[in-house]
Coordinates of all heavy atoms in Angstrom, one line a residue:
Chain A
L35 N 110.9 87.4 144.1 CA 109.9 86.7 143.3 C 109.6 85.3 143.8 O 108.4 84.9 144.0 CB 110.4 86.8 141.8 CG 109.4 86.1 140.9 CD1 108.1 86.9 140.8 CD2 110.0 85.9 139.5
A36 N 110.5 84.5 144.2 CA 110.5 83.2 144.7 C 111.7 83.0 145.6 O 112.6 83.8 145.7 CB 110.4 82.2 143.7
A37 N 111.8 81.8 146.3 CA 112.8 81.5 147.2 C 114.2 81.7 146.4 O 114.4 80.9 145.4 CB 112.7 80.2 147.8
G38 N 115.0 82.6 146.8 CA 116.3 82.7 146.1 C 116.3 83.3 144.8 O 117.3 83.3 143.9
I39 N 115.2 84.0 144.4 CA 115.0 84.6 143.0 C 114.5 86.0 143.2 O 113.5 86.3 143.8 CB 114.1 83.8 142.1 CG1 114.7 82.3 142.1 CG2 113.9 84.4 140.8 CD1 113.8 81.4 141.2
Y40 N 115.2 87.0 142.7 CA 115.0 88.3 143.0 C 115.0 89.3 141.8 O 115.6 89.0 140.8 CB 116.0 88.9 143.9 CG 116.0 88.3 145.2 CD1 116.8 87.1 145.5 CD2 115.2 88.8 146.3 CE1 116.7 86.6 146.7 CE2 115.1 88.1 147.5 CZ 115.8 87.0 147.7 OH 115.9 86.4 148.9
T41 N 114.2 90.3 141.9 CA 114.2 91.3 140.8 C 115.1 92.5 141.3 O 114.9 92.9 142.4 CB 112.8 91.8 140.5 OG1 111.9 90.8 140.1 CG2 112.8 92.9 139.5
M42 N 116.0 92.9 140.5 CA 116.8 94.1 140.9 C 116.0 95.3 140.4 O 115.8 95.5 139.2 CB 118.1 94.2 140.2 CG 119.1 93.1 140.7 SD 119.5 93.0 142.4 CE 120.0 94.7 142.7
M43 N 115.5 96.1 141.3 CA 114.8 97.4 140.9 C 115.8 98.5 140.6 O 117.0 98.2 140.8 CB 113.9 97.8 142.1 CG 112.8 96.7 142.4 SD 111.9 96.1 141.1 CE 110.9 97.4 140.8
P44 N 115.5 99.7 140.0 CA 116.4 100.6 139.5 C 117.5 101.0 140.4 O 118.6 101.0 140.1 CB 115.5 101.8 139.1 CG 114.2 101.2 138.9 CD 114.0 100.0 139.7
M45 N 117.2 101.1 141.7 CA 118.1 101.6 142.6 C 119.1 100.4 142.8 O 120.4 100.7 142.8 CB 117.4 101.7 144.0 CG 118.2 102.7 144.9 SD 118.4 104.3 144.3 CE 119.1 105.1 145.8
G46 N 118.8 99.2 143.0 CA 119.7 98.1 143.0 C 120.5 97.9 141.8 O 121.7 97.6 141.7
Q47 N 119.9 98.1 140.6 CA 120.5 97.8 139.3 C 121.6 98.8 139.2 O 122.7 98.5 138.7 CB 119.4 98.1 138.3 CG 119.9 97.9 136.9 CD 120.4 96.4 136.7 OE1 119.9 95.5 137.3 NE2 121.5 96.3 135.8
R48 N 121.4 100.0 139.7 CA 122.5 101.0 139.6 C 123.8 100.6 140.3 O 124.9 100.7 139.8 CB 122.0 102.4 140.0 CG 121.1 103.1 139.1 CD 120.7 104.4 139.6 NE 121.7 105.4 139.4 CZ 121.9 106.2 138.4 NH1 120.9 106.2 137.5 NH2 122.8 107.0 138.3
S49 N 123.6 100.0 141.5 CA 124.7 99.7 142.3 C 125.4 98.4 141.6 O 126.7 98.3 141.6 CB 124.4 99.3 143.7 OG 124.3 100.4 144.5
M50 N 124.6 97.5 141.2 CA 125.2 96.3 140.5 C 126.0 96.7 139.2 O 127.1 96.3 138.9 CB 124.1 95.4 140.0 CG 123.1 94.8 141.1 SD 123.9 93.4 141.9 CE 123.5 92.1 140.7
A51 N 125.4 97.7 138.5 CA 126.2 98.3 137.3 C 127.4 98.9 137.7 O 128.4 98.8 137.0 CB 125.2 99.3 136.5
K52 N 127.4 99.6 138.8 CA 128.7 100.2 139.3 C 129.7 99.1 139.5 O 130.9 99.3 139.1 CB 128.5 101.0 140.6 CG 127.7 102.3 140.5 CD 128.6 103.3 139.9 CE 127.8 104.6 139.6 NZ 127.2 105.3 140.6
L53 N 129.4 98.0 140.2 CA 130.3 97.0 140.5 C 130.8 96.3 139.1 O 131.9 96.0 138.9 CB 129.8 96.0 141.4 CG 130.6 94.8 141.7 CD1 132.0 95.2 142.3 CD2 130.0 93.8 142.7
E54 N 129.8 96.1 138.3 CA 130.1 95.4 137.0 C 131.2 96.3 136.3 O 132.1 95.8 135.6 CB 128.9 95.4 136.1 CG 127.9 94.2 136.6 CD 126.6 94.2 135.8 OE1 126.8 94.3 134.6 OE2 125.6 94.1 136.3
A55 N 131.1 97.6 136.3 CA 132.0 98.4 135.6 C 133.4 98.3 136.2 O 134.4 98.2 135.5 CB 131.5 99.9 135.6
I56 N 133.5 98.2 137.5 CA 134.7 98.1 138.1 C 135.4 96.7 137.7 O 136.6 96.6 137.4 CB 134.7 98.2 139.6 CG1 134.1 99.5 140.1 CG2 135.9 97.7 140.4 CD1 133.8 99.7 141.5
V57 N 134.5 95.6 137.8 CA 135.0 94.4 137.4 C 135.5 94.3 136.0 O 136.5 93.8 135.7 CB 133.8 93.3 137.6 CG1 134.2 92.0 137.0 CG2 133.5 93.1 139.1
R58 N 134.7 94.9 135.1 CA 135.1 94.9 133.6 C 136.5 95.6 133.6 O 137.4 95.2 132.8 CB 134.1 95.6 132.8 CG 133.0 94.8 132.6 CD 132.0 95.3 131.3 NE 131.1 94.3 131.1 CZ 129.9 94.4 131.6 NH1 129.5 95.4 132.4 NH2 129.1 93.4 131.3
R59 N 136.6 96.8 134.3 CA 137.9 97.5 134.1 C 139.1 96.8 134.6 O 140.0 96.6 133.8 CB 137.8 98.8 135.0 CG 138.9 99.8 134.9 CD 138.7 100.9 136.0 NE 139.0 100.5 137.3 CZ 138.6 101.0 138.3 NH1 137.6 101.9 138.4 NH2 138.9 100.6 139.6
E60 N 138.9 96.0 135.7 CA 140.1 95.3 136.3 C 140.4 94.0 135.4 O 141.4 93.6 135.3 CB 139.8 95.0 137.7 CG 139.8 96.3 138.6 CD 141.2 97.1 138.5 OE1 142.2 96.6 138.2 OE2 141.0 98.3 138.7
L61 N 139.2 93.4 135.0 CA 139.6 92.2 134.1 C 140.2 92.5 132.8 O 141.0 91.8 132.3 CB 138.3 91.3 134.1 CG 138.3 90.3 135.2 CD1 137.5 90.7 136.3 CD2 138.1 89.0 134.7
D62 N 139.7 93.5 132.3 CA 140.2 94.0 130.9 C 141.7 94.3 131.1 O 142.6 93.8 130.4 CB 139.5 95.1 130.4 CG 138.1 94.8 130.0 OD1 137.7 93.6 129.9 OD2 137.2 95.8 129.7
R63 N 142.0 95.0 132.3 CA 143.4 95.4 132.5 C 144.3 94.2 132.8 O 145.4 94.1 132.4 CB 143.4 96.1 133.8 CG 144.7 96.8 134.2 CD 144.6 97.6 135.4 NE 143.9 98.9 135.1 CZ 143.5 99.8 136.1 NH1 143.7 99.5 137.3 NH2 143.0 101.0 135.6
S64 N 143.6 93.0 133.3 CA 144.4 91.8 133.5 C 144.7 91.1 132.1 O 145.5 90.1 132.1 CB 143.6 90.9 134.4 OG 142.7 90.1 133.7
G65 N 144.1 91.5 131.1 CA 144.3 90.9 129.8 C 143.1 89.9 129.4 O 143.2 89.3 128.2
A66 N 142.1 89.8 130.2 CA 141.0 88.9 129.9 C 140.0 89.6 128.8 O 140.0 90.8 128.8 CB 140.2 88.5 131.2
L67 N 139.3 88.8 128.1 CA 138.4 89.3 127.0 C 137.0 88.9 127.5 O 136.7 87.8 127.8 CB 138.8 88.8 125.8 CG 140.2 89.2 125.3 CD1 140.7 88.4 124.2 CD2 140.3 90.7 124.9
E68 N 136.1 89.8 127.3 CA 134.7 89.6 127.6 C 133.9 88.8 126.5 O 134.1 89.2 125.3 CB 133.9 90.9 127.9 CG 132.5 90.6 128.6 CD 131.9 91.8 129.1 OE1 132.5 92.9 129.0 OE2 130.7 91.6 129.7
V69 N 133.2 87.9 127.0 CA 132.3 87.1 126.0 C 131.0 87.1 126.7 O 130.8 87.4 127.9 CB 132.7 85.7 125.8 CG1 134.1 85.7 125.1 CG2 132.9 84.9 127.1
T70 N 130.0 86.5 126.1 CA 128.7 86.2 126.7 C 128.2 84.8 126.3 O 128.1 84.5 125.2 CB 127.4 87.2 126.3 OG1 127.9 88.5 126.8 CG2 126.3 86.7 127.2
M71 N 128.1 83.9 127.3 CA 127.8 82.5 126.9 C 126.3 82.3 127.3 O 125.7 83.1 128.1 CB 128.6 81.5 127.8 CG 130.1 81.6 127.2 SD 131.1 80.5 128.2 CE 131.9 81.6 129.2
P72 N 125.7 81.4 126.6 CA 124.3 81.0 126.9 C 124.1 80.6 128.3 O 125.0 79.9 129.0 CB 123.9 79.8 125.9 CG 125.1 79.7 125.1 CD 126.2 80.3 125.7
T73 N 122.9 80.9 128.9 CA 122.6 80.3 130.2 C 122.0 79.0 130.0 O 121.9 78.2 131.1 CB 121.5 81.2 130.9 OG1 120.4 81.4 130.0 CG2 122.2 82.5 131.3
I74 N 121.4 78.6 128.9 CA 120.7 77.3 128.7 C 121.8 76.5 127.9 O 122.2 76.8 126.8 CB 119.6 77.4 127.9 CG1 118.5 78.4 128.5 CG2 118.9 76.1 127.7 CD1 117.9 77.8 129.8
Q75 N 122.2 75.4 128.5 CA 123.3 74.6 127.8 C 123.0 73.1 127.7 O 122.3 72.5 128.5 CB 124.5 74.7 128.8 CG 124.9 76.1 129.1 CD 126.2 76.2 130.0 OE1 126.6 75.2 130.6 NE2 126.8 77.3 130.1
P76 N 123.3 72.5 126.5 CA 122.9 71.2 126.2 C 123.6 70.2 127.1 O 124.7 70.3 127.5 CB 123.5 71.0 124.7 CG 124.4 72.1 124.5 CD 124.3 73.2 125.4
A77 N 122.9 69.1 127.3 CA 123.3 68.1 128.3 C 124.6 67.4 127.7 O 125.5 67.1 128.6 CB 122.2 67.0 128.5
E78 N 124.7 67.4 126.4 CA 125.7 66.5 125.9 C 127.2 67.0 126.3 O 128.0 66.3 126.8 CB 125.8 66.7 124.4 CG 124.7 65.9 123.6 CD 123.4 66.5 123.7 OE1 123.3 67.7 123.9 OE2 122.3 65.8 123.5
L79 N 127.3 68.4 126.5 CA 128.6 68.9 126.9 C 128.9 68.5 128.4 O 129.9 68.1 128.7 CB 128.5 70.5 126.8 CG 128.8 71.1 125.5 CD1 128.8 72.6 125.6 CD2 130.1 70.6 124.8
W80 N 127.7 68.4 129.1 CA 127.9 68.1 130.6 C 128.1 66.7 130.8 O 128.8 66.2 131.7 CB 126.8 68.6 131.3 CG 126.7 70.0 131.5 CD1 126.4 70.9 130.5 CD2 127.1 70.9 132.6 NE1 126.5 72.2 131.0 CE2 126.9 72.2 132.2 CE3 127.4 70.5 133.9 CZ2 127.3 73.2 133.3 CZ3 127.7 71.5 134.8 CH2 127.6 72.7 134.5
Q81 N 127.7 65.8 129.9 CA 128.0 64.4 129.9 C 129.4 64.2 129.6 O 130.0 63.2 130.0 CB 127.0 63.7 128.9 CG 125.6 63.5 129.5 CD 124.4 63.4 128.4 OE1 124.7 63.5 127.3 NE2 123.2 63.3 128.9
E82 N 129.9 65.0 128.5 CA 131.3 64.8 128.1 C 132.2 65.1 129.2 O 133.3 64.4 129.5 CB 131.6 65.8 127.0 CG 132.4 65.2 125.9 CD 132.7 66.2 124.7 OE1 131.6 67.0 124.4 OE2 133.8 66.3 124.3
S83 N 131.9 66.1 130.0 CA 132.8 66.4 131.2 C 132.5 65.6 132.4 O 133.2 65.6 133.4 CB 132.5 67.9 131.6 OG 131.3 68.1 132.2
D84 N 131.5 64.8 132.2 CA 131.0 63.9 133.3 C 130.3 64.5 134.4 O 129.9 64.0 135.5 CB 132.3 63.1 133.9 CG 131.9 61.8 134.6 OD1 130.9 61.1 134.0 OD2 132.5 61.4 135.6
R85 N 130.0 65.8 134.3 CA 129.3 66.6 135.4 C 127.8 66.4 135.4 O 127.2 66.7 136.3 CB 129.7 68.0 135.5 CG 131.1 68.2 135.9 CD 131.3 69.7 136.7 NE 131.3 70.8 135.7 CZ 131.4 72.0 136.0 NH1 131.8 72.2 137.4 NH2 131.5 73.0 135.2
W86 N 127.3 65.9 134.2 CA 125.9 65.7 134.2 C 125.4 64.7 135.3 O 124.4 64.9 135.9 CB 125.4 65.1 132.8 CG 123.9 65.1 132.6 CD1 123.1 63.9 132.7 CD2 123.0 66.1 132.3 NE1 121.8 64.2 132.5 CE2 121.8 65.6 132.2 CE3 123.2 67.4 132.1 CZ2 120.7 66.3 131.9 CZ3 122.1 68.2 131.8 CH2 120.9 67.6 131.7
S87 N 126.3 63.8 135.5 CA 126.0 62.7 136.6 C 126.4 63.3 138.0 O 125.9 62.8 139.0 CB 126.5 61.4 136.2 OG 127.9 61.5 136.0
V88 N 127.5 63.9 137.9 CA 128.2 64.2 139.2 C 127.5 65.5 139.9 O 127.5 65.5 141.2 CB 129.7 64.5 139.0 CG1 130.3 65.1 140.2 CG2 130.5 63.4 138.5
Y89 N 127.0 66.4 139.2 CA 126.6 67.6 139.8 C 125.4 67.5 140.7 O 125.2 68.3 141.6 CB 126.3 68.7 138.6 CG 126.7 70.1 139.0 CD1 127.9 70.6 138.5 CD2 126.0 70.9 139.9 CE1 128.2 72.0 138.8 CE2 126.4 72.1 140.3 CZ 127.5 72.7 139.7 OH 128.0 73.9 140.1
G90 N 124.5 66.5 140.5 CA 123.4 66.4 141.4 C 122.3 67.4 141.2 O 122.1 68.0 140.2
K91 N 121.5 67.6 142.3 CA 120.3 68.2 142.1 C 120.4 69.8 142.1 O 119.5 70.5 141.7 CB 119.4 67.9 143.4 CG 118.8 66.6 143.3 CD 117.6 66.4 144.4 CE 116.9 65.1 144.2 NZ 116.0 64.9 145.4
E92 N 121.6 70.3 142.3 CA 121.9 71.6 142.3 C 121.8 72.1 140.7 O 121.5 73.3 140.5 CB 123.3 72.0 142.8 CG 123.4 73.2 143.6 CD 124.7 73.3 144.1 OE1 125.1 72.5 145.1 OE2 125.4 74.2 143.6
L93 N 122.0 71.2 139.9 CA 122.0 71.5 138.5 C 120.6 71.5 138.0 O 119.8 70.4 138.1 CB 122.8 70.5 137.7 CG 123.0 70.7 136.1 CD1 123.7 71.9 135.9 CD2 123.6 69.6 135.5
L94 N 120.0 72.6 137.5 CA 118.6 72.6 137.2 C 118.5 72.1 135.7 O 119.1 72.7 134.8 CB 118.1 74.1 137.2 CG 116.7 74.3 136.7 CD1 115.6 73.7 137.7 CD2 116.3 75.8 136.6
R95 N 117.9 70.9 135.6 CA 117.8 70.3 134.3 C 116.4 70.5 133.6 O 115.5 70.5 134.4 CB 117.9 68.8 134.5 CG 119.4 68.3 134.9 CD 119.4 67.1 135.7 NE 120.4 67.1 136.8 CZ 121.6 66.6 136.7 NH1 122.0 65.8 135.6 NH2 122.4 66.6 137.7
I96 N 116.5 70.8 132.4 CA 115.2 71.1 131.7 C 115.2 70.4 130.3 O 116.3 69.9 129.9 CB 115.1 72.6 131.5 CG1 116.3 73.3 131.0 CG2 114.7 73.4 132.7 CD1 116.4 74.8 130.9
Q97 N 114.1 70.4 129.7 CA 113.9 69.7 128.4 C 113.3 70.7 127.5 O 112.4 71.5 127.8 CB 113.1 68.4 128.5 CG 113.7 67.3 129.2 CD 113.1 66.1 129.1 OE1 111.9 66.0 128.9 NE2 113.8 65.0 129.3

Side-chain angles (χ1 to χ4, degrees):
Chain A
L35 182 63
I39 302 180
Y40 296 88
T41 302
M42 294 301 309
M43 300 309 285
M45 201 67 169
Q47 184 59 34
R48 290 183 71 100
S49 279
M50 297 281 279
K52 288 281 170 70
L53 177 57
E54 287 176 47
I56 293 168
V57 168
R58 286 197 171 89
R59 186 185 76 207
E60 294 302 331
L61 266 102
D62 291 347
R63 187 176 287 170
S64 83
L67 299 165
E68 186 169 7
V69 297
T70 300
M71 289 179 262
T73 53
I74 306 288
Q75 307 181 345
E78 287 77 15
L79 283 181
W80 287 75
Q81 285 153 355
E82 219 181 321
S83 71
D84 204 33
R85 285 208 290 184
W86 187 257
S87 51
V88 173
Y89 216 105
K91 286 192 173 171
E92 219 176 289
L93 185 65
L94 180 68
R95 293 155 214 257
I96 47 188
Q97 288 192 336

